[in-house]
Coordinates of all heavy atoms in Angstrom, one line a residue:
Chain A
Y410 N 24.9 40.1 19.5 CA 24.8 41.3 20.3 C 25.8 41.1 21.4 O 26.1 40.0 21.8 CB 23.4 41.5 20.8 CG 22.9 40.4 21.7 CD1 23.1 40.5 23.0 CD2 22.3 39.3 21.1 CE1 22.7 39.5 23.9 CE2 21.9 38.2 21.9 CZ 22.1 38.3 23.3 OH 21.7 37.3 24.1
E411 N 26.2 42.2 22.0 CA 27.1 42.1 23.1 C 26.4 41.8 24.4 O 25.2 41.9 24.5 CB 27.9 43.5 23.3 CG 29.3 43.5 22.7 CD 30.2 42.6 23.5 OE1 29.9 42.0 24.5 OE2 31.4 42.5 23.0
M412 N 27.1 41.3 25.4 CA 26.5 40.9 26.6 C 26.2 42.1 27.5 O 26.5 43.2 27.3 CB 27.4 39.9 27.3 CG 28.8 40.5 27.7 SD 29.8 39.3 28.6 CE 31.4 40.2 28.6
V413 N 25.4 41.8 28.6 CA 25.1 42.7 29.6 C 26.1 42.3 30.8 O 26.0 41.2 31.2 CB 23.7 42.7 30.1 CG1 23.4 43.7 31.2 CG2 22.7 42.8 28.9
A414 N 26.9 43.3 31.2 CA 27.8 43.0 32.3 C 27.4 43.9 33.5 O 26.5 44.7 33.4 CB 29.2 43.3 31.9
L415 N 28.1 43.7 34.6 CA 27.7 44.4 35.8 C 28.8 45.4 36.2 O 30.0 45.2 36.1 CB 27.6 43.4 37.0 CG 26.5 42.3 36.7 CD1 26.7 41.1 37.7 CD2 25.1 42.8 36.8
S416 N 28.3 46.6 36.6 CA 29.2 47.6 37.0 C 29.7 47.3 38.5 O 29.0 46.6 39.2 CB 28.5 49.0 37.0 OG 27.5 49.0 38.0
P417 N 30.8 47.8 38.8 CA 31.3 47.6 40.2 C 30.3 48.1 41.3 O 30.1 47.4 42.3 CB 32.6 48.4 40.3 CG 33.0 48.6 38.9 CD 31.8 48.6 38.1
K418 N 29.6 49.2 40.9 CA 28.6 49.7 41.8 C 27.5 48.7 42.0 O 27.0 48.6 43.1 CB 28.1 51.0 41.3 CG 27.8 52.1 42.4 CD 27.5 53.4 41.8 CE 26.0 53.6 41.7 NZ 25.7 54.8 40.9
S419 N 27.0 48.1 40.9 CA 25.9 47.2 41.0 C 26.3 46.0 41.8 O 25.5 45.3 42.4 CB 25.4 46.9 39.6 OG 26.3 46.2 38.9
L420 N 27.6 45.6 41.8 CA 28.0 44.5 42.6 C 27.8 44.7 44.0 O 27.4 43.9 44.8 CB 29.5 44.2 42.3 CG 29.9 43.7 40.9 CD1 31.4 43.4 40.9 CD2 29.2 42.4 40.6
D421 N 28.1 45.9 44.5 CA 27.9 46.3 45.9 C 26.4 46.2 46.2 O 26.1 45.6 47.2 CB 28.3 47.8 46.1 CG 29.9 47.9 46.0 OD1 30.5 46.9 46.1 OD2 30.4 49.0 45.9
E422 N 25.6 46.7 45.3 CA 24.2 46.7 45.6 C 23.6 45.2 45.7 O 22.7 45.0 46.4 CB 23.4 47.4 44.5 CG 23.3 48.9 44.7 CD 22.2 49.5 43.9 OE1 21.0 49.1 44.1 OE2 22.5 50.4 43.1
L423 N 24.3 44.3 44.9 CA 23.9 42.9 45.0 C 24.4 42.2 46.2 O 24.1 41.1 46.4 CB 24.3 42.2 43.7 CG 23.6 42.6 42.4 CD1 24.3 42.1 41.2 CD2 22.1 42.1 42.4
G424 N 25.3 42.9 46.9 CA 25.9 42.3 48.1 C 26.9 41.2 47.7 O 27.1 40.3 48.4
Y425 N 27.5 41.4 46.5 CA 28.5 40.4 46.1 C 29.9 40.7 46.6 O 30.4 41.8 46.5 CB 28.5 40.4 44.5 CG 29.5 39.4 43.9 CD1 29.2 38.0 43.9 CD2 30.7 39.8 43.4 CE1 30.1 37.1 43.4 CE2 31.6 38.9 42.8 CZ 31.3 37.6 42.8 OH 32.2 36.7 42.2
A426 N 30.5 39.7 47.2 CA 31.8 39.8 47.8 C 32.9 39.6 46.6 O 33.2 38.4 46.4 CB 32.1 38.9 48.9
A427 N 33.3 40.6 46.0 CA 34.2 40.5 44.9 C 35.6 40.2 45.4 O 36.0 40.7 46.4 CB 34.2 41.7 44.0
T428 N 36.4 39.4 44.6 CA 37.8 39.2 45.0 C 38.6 40.4 44.5 O 38.1 41.2 43.8 CB 38.3 37.9 44.2 OG1 38.3 38.2 42.8 CG2 37.5 36.7 44.4
D429 N 39.8 40.5 45.0 CA 40.7 41.6 44.7 C 40.8 41.7 43.2 O 40.8 42.8 42.6 CB 42.0 41.5 45.3 CG 41.9 41.7 46.8 OD1 40.9 42.3 47.3 OD2 42.9 41.3 47.5
E430 N 41.0 40.6 42.5 CA 41.1 40.6 41.1 C 39.9 41.1 40.4 O 40.0 41.9 39.4 CB 41.4 39.2 40.6 CG 42.0 39.1 39.2 CD 42.0 37.6 38.7 OE1 42.0 36.7 39.6 OE2 42.1 37.4 37.5
E431 N 38.7 40.7 40.9 CA 37.5 41.2 40.3 C 37.3 42.7 40.5 O 36.7 43.4 39.7 CB 36.3 40.4 40.9 CG 36.3 39.0 40.4 CD 35.2 38.1 41.1 OE1 34.9 38.4 42.3 OE2 34.8 37.1 40.6
K432 N 37.8 43.2 41.6 CA 37.6 44.6 42.0 C 38.4 45.5 41.0 O 38.0 46.6 40.8 CB 38.0 44.9 43.4 CG 37.0 44.5 44.4 CD 37.5 44.7 45.8 CE 36.5 44.1 46.8 NZ 37.2 43.8 48.1
E433 N 39.4 44.9 40.4 CA 40.3 45.7 39.5 C 39.5 46.0 38.2 O 39.8 46.9 37.5 CB 41.5 44.9 39.1 CG 42.5 44.7 40.3 CD 43.0 46.1 40.8 OE1 43.6 46.8 40.0 OE2 42.9 46.3 42.0
R434 N 38.6 45.2 37.9 CA 37.9 45.2 36.5 C 36.9 46.3 36.5 O 36.3 46.7 37.5 CB 37.3 43.9 36.2 CG 38.3 42.8 36.5 CD 38.0 41.6 35.6 NE 37.2 41.9 34.4 CZ 37.4 41.2 33.3 NH1 38.3 40.3 33.2 NH2 36.7 41.5 32.2
S435 N 36.7 46.9 35.3 CA 35.7 47.9 35.1 C 34.3 47.4 35.0 O 33.3 48.1 35.2 CB 36.0 48.8 33.9 OG 36.0 47.9 32.7
F436 N 34.2 46.1 34.7 CA 32.9 45.4 34.7 C 33.1 43.9 35.0 O 34.2 43.4 34.8 CB 32.1 45.6 33.4 CG 32.8 45.0 32.2 CD1 32.6 43.7 31.9 CD2 33.7 45.7 31.4 CE1 33.2 43.1 30.8 CE2 34.3 45.1 30.3 CZ 34.0 43.8 30.0

Side-chain angles (χ1 to χ4, degrees):
Chain A
Y410 62 92
E411 261 292 354
M412 60 180 170
V413 183
L415 302 166
S416 67
K418 214 171 100 190
S419 63
L420 291 182
D421 291 343
E422 274 199 63
L423 291 166
Y425 178 75
T428 64
D429 287 343
E430 197 189 338
E431 287 170 338
K432 282 177 188 157
E433 294 295 306
R434 312 205 25 146
S435 58
F436 66 86

